[in-house]
């Protein structure tokens, strides 16, 4: 027998069903974008709801061109099984594009499903360079950044300034290992050496002082942090506290604007980090920021969020070009058209998408400002170096992507 | 002796001393948090799964006091435990007090749910990436101990945690109030018959346990990222500490907190990958050989 609680639970489950989807299924003239992201976990601030806001900004900028665009969203909780399930359901129910998908393990799962179902996967949030390497797919575009570019951007730049011996503090899982491996290649190629590494359990580590002291004892010149988000912030805090920054350079290999905000400029000043977008780069990025800031909880967009905007906008242009019916029927054709058209948007400027699905745009090495240099909240970076897109990412021939004709 | 140590461990002695000291510092956090849990469990028989969220609230209240009211670290050390403790009193009065007659499991589920909700609210309000909080000017800098740099603030944490633990132990073991509390644990009806307001005492005890968690949160704010999930990782370890020390044993949880901090610190030198697991291995061994915990009464 159904009791009151059972009825409530059934009602709640019903409310979560994608009602608008089934209603709109008949509308063949609607393109549906699904933002699948971390809405409740550690990466929420760097992607998450902000990515939805930026996707909507792209839709608004694209305007009305004879078809409707709908944006839906879901939380993958950084779990591959949850993410794969939602992506499968979405694609079956008429969602044409899955967007964002931070967390490399989830992204690789969705990558497979998009290919299987011949839909489109526009990745902005995940780091793994395998998306355009060994696991590249004709249905996928990897828009914003990847581990290879980070390793080259920050790693190689620091070796050039004389940092030729390294000690790594590495998150003990696929992402941390990949980042350490890629950076090590650049360090060694430039004649540097890696003196040691401490792999700490992820995500169960809060205190990094033990590893910071080990790094100090190694007498290396550079501390490479192959981790992300809160872990990086806690590592830097510990390094500052134990006076590590006086004897070693700190290399945060994956760090973004929200992490600098969390760390504060007092502890963050002087850090070098690599990103492909910053809100205060030029007039176009500032104009974009002014348009979206109010919806984005008063914050300027972060790099991955900007990627959601750029990828969505370019996809919509490709759809307008080949027609809604063709784009909905054949994800591969839509991605092929995206690759054939040059890209241009307010976040990344002009660029292009390579055969292996890699989006090319300039990459910046930023230095974090000191509290005295900063004019206020979110004024955190100054540009230390710019690398053109063609040089910033892994050469296509080295990635091992099967789509690339040799 | 030192050369001998170095030769058998393969780790330079200065580094080893440094790690022992760092282990002691982490142990101070474990001790402070497990102390609050032990006090609550000993007197209320409630396993307080909201403890991690309350630790986090302590750190956030410190941040709010500074950024909204301009009150610095020292005020936070006083006010944050009072404010968070007061929320604990409200939670106990309105919700937890209804469960005393039921199985432990209900209290566990309720406090777990409250913890998740508190974390969700903070995540919505402040985001997940965290907020900066500076070390107070008086405690900045480091001492050069020869074998390592010792940040003054970390030394302060150990000292302050020791004082808190000692004070709590004295109150419960040596004062009249403590005697009432212990008596009420044994037989609440009898103590009430003597004219002691037992429900109020229980409420205040919960508030005090929560205040201890918040105090640890304020201590943690300058050295760890202040974010909504900061209590989650720590609290799992702290539960293991309480289980190893013996549920409800105050002295047990304090000693175990410091001891496990040191063991974890050494594991970080020899086998960093296992540093999160070692405490749970010890917990399993203790449960198999002494189910009541090292200091618990069976």
């Amino acid at each position: 027998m159904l009791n009151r609680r059972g009825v409530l639970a059934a009602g709640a489950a019903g409310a979560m069903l994608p009602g608008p989807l089934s209603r709109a299924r008949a509308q063949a003239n609607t393109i549906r974008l699904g933002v699948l992201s971390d809405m409740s976990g550690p990466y929420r601030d760097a992607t998450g709801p902000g990515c939805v806001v930026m996707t909507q900004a792209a839709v608004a900028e694209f305007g009305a061109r004879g078809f409707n665009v709908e944006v839906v969203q879901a939380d993958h909780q950084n779990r591959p099984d949850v993410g794969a399930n939602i992506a499968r359901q979405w694609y079956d129910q008429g969602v044409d594009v899955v967007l964002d998908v931070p967390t490399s393990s989830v992204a690789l799962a969705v990558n497979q499903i998009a290919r299987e179902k011949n839909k489109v996967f526009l990745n902005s949030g995940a780091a793994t360079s395998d998306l355009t390497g060994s696991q590249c797919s004709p249905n996928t575009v990897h828009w914003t950044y990847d581990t290879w570019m980070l390793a080259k951007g920050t790693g190689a730049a620091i070796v050039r300034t004389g940092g030729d011996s390294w000690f790594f503090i590495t998150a003990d899982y696929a992402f941390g290992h990949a980042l350490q491996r890629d950076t090590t290649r650049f360090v060694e190629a430039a004649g540097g050496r890696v003196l040691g590494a401490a792999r700490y359990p992820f995500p169960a580590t809060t205190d990094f002082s033990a590893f910071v002291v080990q790094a100090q004892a190694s007498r290396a010149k550079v501390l490479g942090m192959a981790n992300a988000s809160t872990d990086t912030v806690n590592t830097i805090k510990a390094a500052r506290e134990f006076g590590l920054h006086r004897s070693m350079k700190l290399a945060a290999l994956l760090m973004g604007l929200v992490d600098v905000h969390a760390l504060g400029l007092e502890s963050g000043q002087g850090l070098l980090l690599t990103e492909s977008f910053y809100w205060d780069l030029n007039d176009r990025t500032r104009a974009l920021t002014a348009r979206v800031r109010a919806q984005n909880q008063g914050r300027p967009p972060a790099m991955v969020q900007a990627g959601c905007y750029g990828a969505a906008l370019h996809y919509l242009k490709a759809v307008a070009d080949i027609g809604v019916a063709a784009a909905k029927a054949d994800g591969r054709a839509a991605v092929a058209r995206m690759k054939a058209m040059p890209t241009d948007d307010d976040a990344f400027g002009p660029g292009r998408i390579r055969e292996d699905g890699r989006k090319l745009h300039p990459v910046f090495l930023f230095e974090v400002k000191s509290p005295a240099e900063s004019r206020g909240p979110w004024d955190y970076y100054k540009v230390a170096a710019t690398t053109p897109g063609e040089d910033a990412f892994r050469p296509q021939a080295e990635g091992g992507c099967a789509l690339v004709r040799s | 002796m030192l050369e001998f140590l170095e030769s058998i461990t393969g780790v330079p002695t200065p580094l080893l001393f440094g790690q022992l000291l760092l282990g002691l510092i982490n142990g101070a956090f474990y001790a402070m948090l497990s102390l609050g849990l032990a006090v609550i469990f000993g007197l209320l028989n409630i396993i307080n799964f909201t403890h991690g969220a309350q630790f986090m609230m302590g750190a956030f209240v410190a941040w709010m006091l500074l950024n909204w009211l301009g009150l610095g670290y020292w005020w936070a050390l006083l006010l944050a435990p009072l404010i968070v403790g007061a929320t604990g009193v409200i939670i106990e009065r309105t919700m937890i007090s209804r469960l005393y007659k039921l199985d432990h499991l209900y209290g566990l589920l309720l406090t777990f749910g409250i913890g998740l909700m508190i974390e969700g609210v903070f995540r919505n309000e402040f985001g997940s990436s965290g907020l900066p909080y500076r070390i107070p000017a008086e405690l900045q800098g480091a001492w050069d101990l020869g074998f390592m740099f010792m940040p003054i603030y970390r030394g302060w944490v150990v000292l302050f945690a020791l004082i808190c633990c000692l004070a709590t132990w004295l109150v419960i073991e040596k004062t009249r109030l403590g005697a009432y509390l212990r008596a009420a644990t044994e037989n609440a009806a009898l103590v009430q018959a003597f004219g002691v307001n037992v429900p109020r005492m229980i409420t205040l005890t919960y508030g005090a346990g929560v205040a201890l968690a918040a105090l640890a949160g304020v201590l943690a704010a300058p050295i760890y990222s202040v974010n909504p999930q900061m209590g989650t990782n720590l609290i799992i370890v702290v539960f293991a500490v309480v289980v190893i020390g013996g549920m409800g044993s105050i002295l047990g949880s304090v000693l175990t907190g410091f001891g496990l901090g040191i063991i974890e610190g050494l594991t970080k030198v020899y086998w960093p990958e296992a540093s999160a697991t070692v405490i749970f291995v010890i917990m399993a061994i203790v449960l198999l050989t002494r189910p009541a915990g090292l200091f618990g009464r069976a």
Side-chain angles (χ1 to χ4, degrees), chain A residues 176-193:
Chain A
H177 297 180
L179 199 49
Q180 185 188 334
R181 177 199 65 206
D182 286 352
T183 311
T184 299
R185 262 170 21 101
F186 283 107
V187 170
E188 286 173 351
R193 283 180 312 141

Side-chain angles (χ1 to χ4, degrees), chain A residues 54-67:
Chain A
M54 294 305 288
T55 306
Q56 281 158 347
V59 174
E61 183 179 328
F62 181 72
R65 297 215 206 154
F67 60 92

Side-chain angles (χ1 to χ4, degrees), chain A residues 189-203:
Chain A
R193 283 180 312 141
V194 174
L195 301 182
R199 289 183 172 178
Y200 67 86
F202 175 86

Side-chain angles (χ1 to χ4, degrees), chain A residues 40-42 44-45 172 199 201 203-204 206-207 209-211 213-214 230 233-234 237 241-242 258 261-264 266, chain B residues 15 19 22 26 123-124 127-132 135 148-149 151 154 221-225 227 233 268-269 272-273 275-276:
Chain A
S40 58
R44 180 184 186 275
D45 286 3
D172 192 16
R199 289 183 172 178
T206 309
D207 189 77
S209 51
F211 308 120
V213 171
Q214 285 179 46
T230 308
V233 171
N234 280 335
K237 277 190 153 186
E241 218 189 326
F242 283 81
V258 292
H261 187 67
L263 185 62
E266 190 67 38
Chain B
L15 185 56
Q19 297 294 352
L22 292 174
N26 283 339
R123 192 176 296 127
N124 248 2
S128 60
S129 53
L131 303 162
I135 294 176
M148 69 176 276
F149 269 105
R154 301 249 175 174
I223 47 180
Y224 301 131
S225 158
N227 65 59
N233 287 337
K268 281 176 173 169
V269 184
E273 288 91 334
S275 57

Side-chain angles (χ1 to χ4, degrees), chain A residues 345-396:
Chain A
D345 59 66
D346 284 347
F348 301 92
R352 71 178 178 102
I353 301 167
R354 227 163 46 180
E355 220 175 336
D356 59 359
R358 176 72 256 162
K359 163 74 170 30
L360 300 179
H361 40 236
V363 168
F364 307 92
L365 184 69
F366 292 111
E367 187 182 333
V368 177
K369 290 182 172 178
S370 69
E373 288 170 307
S374 170
R375 294 187 307 271
W378 304 106
D379 178 28
Y380 294 157
Y381 292 171
K382 49 190 180 190
V383 178
T386 307
T387 314
E390 303 287 339
D391 300 330
F393 292 92
R394 180 177 58 202
Q396 196 162 237

